[in-house]
Amino acid sequence: MAPSTVQTRETVVRGSQELAAAGVLAAPREARRLFALAAGSPLDLAGTAVPPSVGRRYRMLVAARARRVPFPLLEGETGFLDFDVAVRPGVFIPRPETEELAERAIVVLRSLLPHPRALDLGTGTGALAVALARARDDGQVLAVDVSPRALACARRNVRAHRLEARVEIRRSDWFSCVREAFHLIVANPPYVARCEFPSLEPEVRLYEPRRALDGGVDGLDALRVILSRAPHHLLPGGTILVEIGARQGPAALAIARRVPGLREARVERDQSGKERFLIARCV
């Protein structure tokens, strides 16, 4: 076996071992992805010797991932539906569940009459807002967040997808700076109950912004605020879709059914069978 092949292969094997020792799942796969990221090209175990600069970068990436820094933060982006969004420290990284939320919202959006208006509450990276704007060329989306870091990240992603004319980014603590009414409201609010924080994966517990996770004692504080104000910002017949925790369905339904102006409240399950989405309409 050629020395260069041994060197490349052994570099990745050592990285995999370090990741496995740190508790990273699928360590061999992640080690290969990190090497490709360090090299700036797909991994070739039979390629040339590892350049010193690539080796240094790879060791830094492996050390960071071993500290459980999320891979998207190391890469600087993550996939969402059929497009990519930039991610930054201090901004919540979109999860697969939120892709399912987006898919449901897109179905609703495409059923509406021309020129629909949508509101993305707590936009984070702007992934939901971008998805909605891409789904309807004649639609307008308002994306709000209270975090300056999130707003900067969302603006970057909106610009990257050339959607500035149809997506407005605005600083607002939920509805505090929103006066308009919409056909559709979507939200992925914080819904982790405080007692659940110790059990979160290190990637979430250590590196995601606490404000994007903390839903209060029972995880439903943000939902209560959103649902109580939603009827004031939904047009007649408008729809609200909210991502919720896996065991929050009954409590979320009870909250929704006590809100004057909301009707047809229901909870739908995600692809793994967990209660994940609260859906209601405005009278």
Side-chain angles (χ1 to χ4, degrees), residues 65 92 149 170 195 201 206 230:
R65 188 67 187 98
F92 187 74
R149 287 188 179 186
R170 184 187 302 174
C195 64
E201 289 292 320
L206 299 177

Side-chain angles (χ1 to χ4, degrees), residues 148-226:
R149 287 188 179 186
L151 293 169
C153 189
R155 288 190 182 99
R156 173 173 180 166
N157 284 316
V158 168
R159 286 195 302 269
H161 291 280
R162 301 179 179 179
L163 294 170
E164 301 99 312
R166 294 193 291 109
V167 179
E168 178 188 350
I169 305 295
R170 184 187 302 174
R171 189 173 187 184
S172 181
D173 188 0
W174 302 128
F175 294 103
S176 65
C177 296
V178 177
R179 300 292 177 265
E180 303 94 327
F182 303 86
H183 300 92
L184 172 65
I185 295 175
V186 296
N188 176 23
Y191 55 72
V192 178
R194 287 177 186 158
C195 64
E196 297 174 346
F197 271 84
S199 64
L200 295 175
E201 289 292 320
E203 287 85 347
V204 177
R205 187 179 70 252
L206 299 177
Y207 295 99
E208 294 287 16
R210 176 86 179 219
R211 187 166 192 161
L213 300 171
D214 189 349
V217 174
D218 64 355
L220 295 167
D221 283 359
L223 182 70
R224 292 186 181 92
V225 173
I226 291 169

Side-chain angles (χ1 to χ4, degrees), residues 99-121:
E99 291 184 286
E100 293 188 52
L101 176 67
E103 290 170 343
R104 284 167 165 77
I106 288 169
V107 169
V108 173
L109 194 66
R110 287 177 172 164
S111 72
L112 298 174
L113 294 174
H115 309 296
R117 298 196 300 274
L119 171 64
D120 175 16
L121 286 171

